[in-house]
Amino acid sequence: MNGEGDEIVLQLADPPNCPRCGGPGPVSAQFSHSWTNASGKEVPGIREAMLCPVCDRDEPAADRLLAFFAVHKTLELSELETFHDLTAAWVAVARARQVDQQQLADEYERSRNGEL
Ligand SMILES: [Zn+2]
C-alpha cells in the first residue's frame, strides 16, 4: 500500500490466461479496487483483468489496445505514451465492469438471503 489508491501493474511477459474462456491474451493488469459491501463498509482489494482477444473483442477500449498489440510486437519507447493511454482506457473499463459484477453479486446475495 502506497496510499496512491490508483496504481496499475501491467504484466506483459507471460500473463495469466483469460478467466472467461481460458485463452491466452497479450497483457494483464492488476489494480487496486475497493467496493462497498451490503453493510456499507468499504472493502479494499486488488483486482486483476486480462485483455482477451476473444472475450473483449466488442469493447472499444479493449479493441484499440488489442489492435496496438497486433501492430506492435515489441514496445518501442516512442510508443509508450500511446500504449499508456490505451492501457489506461482499457483498465478504466475493466475496473468499472468488475465493480458492476461485484455489486450484482452483492445484490444477489442480499435478495437471496432476504428470501430465505
Ligand atoms: Zn477470453
Side-chain angles (χ1 to χ4, degrees):
M1 276 294 167
N2 59 5
E4 268 281 301
D6 203 33
E7 194 179 349
I8 297 166
V9 180
L10 295 177
Q11 187 176 343
L12 286 158
D14 199 22
N17 283 348
C18 171
R20 290 158 289 177
C21 71
V27 64
S28 73
Q30 281 190 336
F31 47 89
S32 59
H33 165 79
S34 54
W35 54 286
T36 308
N37 71 8
S39 54
K41 208 174 117 190
E42 189 162 299
V43 183
I46 298 284
R47 296 273 160 158
E48 186 165 41
M50 266 65 87
L51 181 65
C52 176
V54 178
C55 304
D56 289 326
R57 199 167 38 195
D58 292 329
E59 164 41 53
D63 265 348
R64 284 194 290 274
L65 187 54
L66 284 166
F68 180 91
F69 276 108
V71 174
H72 306 278
K73 297 294 178 201
T74 58
L75 200 55
E76 302 291 332
L77 209 58
S78 59
E79 304 286 354
L80 271 182
E81 202 178 324
T82 307
F83 176 72
H84 178 266
D85 289 349
L86 292 173
T87 306
W90 166 63
V91 169
V93 170
R95 191 197 293 254
R97 186 177 57 211
Q98 296 203 358
V99 172
D100 285 351
Q101 282 172 353
Q102 188 60 64
Q103 280 169 351
L104 277 178
D106 198 42
E107 272 162 30
Y108 175 74
E109 268 311 304
R110 266 191 293 174
S111 67
R112 211 178 53 155
N113 289 341
E115 280 166 21
L116 286 174

